[in-house]
Amino acid sequence: MNWDQIKGQWTQMQGEAKRQWGKLTDDDLRTIEGDRDKLVGAVQERYGRSKDDAEREVDDWSRTHAS
């Protein structure tokens, strides 16, 4: 699933994202709006990850949970 599809289904995808990254708040998830860069930034901020690590984590999640 590509990010355009994820963005279109973000309301449904929020639960999957919340299970993966429990530190993300409901407000974070609403603000992210299915935007990859916003999700990467939120993962970086909440978990103290480097940008590369956060991007890798988000990309892995999108491949495995967004089907």
Side-chain angles (χ1 to χ4, degrees):
M1 182 175 282
N2 67 41
W3 280 95
D4 288 332
Q5 292 170 312
I6 291 171
K7 190 169 189 166
Q9 296 180 6
W10 185 243
T11 301
Q12 296 87 350
M13 298 299 299
Q14 287 183 47
E16 293 293 329
K18 184 77 169 185
R19 279 187 278 286
Q20 178 73 28
W21 298 287
K23 291 182 182 180
L24 295 180
T25 66
D26 291 338
D27 285 340
D28 290 334
L29 295 169
R30 276 191 295 278
T31 301
I32 289 165
E33 300 173 321
D35 183 284
R36 180 187 176 275
D37 292 335
K38 289 180 183 178
L39 180 55
V40 168
V43 170
Q44 272 185 273
E45 182 179 322
R46 296 283 184 224
Y47 288 90
R49 306 267 200 276
S50 70
K51 184 174 182 178
D52 288 343
D53 286 346
E55 286 180 335
R56 196 170 12 264
E57 199 170 318
V58 167
D59 290 342
D60 288 347
W61 173 81
S62 71
R63 281 192 295 274
T64 59
H65 291 89
S67 55

